Amino acid sequence: MKSTTIFAYGLVFSLLALPVVASAAGLVPCGGPSPETPCDFNHLILMVNGLIKFALFTLAVPIAALAFMWAGASLVLQQDKQHAWTEAKERFQNIAIGFAIIMAAFIGIKFILYTFLETEQYDFVRFLIQL
């Protein structure tokens, strides 16, 4: 019960502190002060592409690394318990499968797009996913 209370207080504090540290600098590529260009469809595509790259490479990789560390720590700390050992190995497997699915989907979609598109379509999709 105590850990749940600590988690709840931490969650409330982080949600209250989020507006103070939140900033769209770099996320929204347009529409800032007057010298910047107004937003259009191209800027929307750039923003979505930035969000996807952020989610895949800035969030997914560290989260997977932390999850592997958590599974490894539980594996090492509870060596004498057979049930805990089996659960930790299953966690390793689930984390690896999930991370592989995320990366395979990203790579597979890019591969399919580049394989089947003509030159002018390829240029448009290249703009869409910003390679």
Side-chain angles (χ1 to χ4, degrees):
M1 184 68 182
K2 184 177 179 179
S3 63
T4 306
T5 307
I6 292 172
F7 175 74
Y9 283 128
L11 182 65
V12 168
F13 174 74
S14 60
L15 289 177
L16 291 175
L18 188 62
V20 176
V21 296
S23 172
L27 176 63
V28 180
C30 63
S34 66
E36 275 195 43
T37 60
C39 294
D40 61 357
F41 181 71
N42 294 339
H43 291 107
L44 175 69
I45 297 299
L46 289 172
M47 184 180 72
V48 170
N49 186 42
L51 285 172
I52 291 170
K53 284 185 178 180
F54 176 77
L56 282 176
F57 301 111
T58 308
L59 289 180
V61 173
I63 289 173
L66 289 173
F68 276 120
M69 287 176 16
W70 172 55
S74 65
L75 188 69
V76 170
L77 294 175
Q78 300 177 357
Q79 290 181 12
D80 53 345
K81 299 176 186 169
Q82 184 62 29
H83 181 66
W85 182 269
T86 306
E87 284 182 4
K89 288 195 302 188
E90 286 176 4
R91 273 191 219 123
F92 268 118
Q93 184 178 9
N94 291 338
I95 295 165
I97 289 171
F99 190 68
I101 288 172
I102 291 171
M103 291 302 155
F106 181 72
I107 293 169
I109 289 172
K110 284 192 175 205
F111 176 75
I112 290 169
L113 287 175
Y114 289 136
T115 302
F116 295 112
L117 294 180
E118 298 175 7
T119 306
E120 60 273 358
Q121 291 172 329
Y122 174 77
D123 290 337
F124 177 70
V125 172
R126 187 174 186 189
F127 166 73
L128 285 179
I129 57 178
Q130 295 292 314
L131 283 179

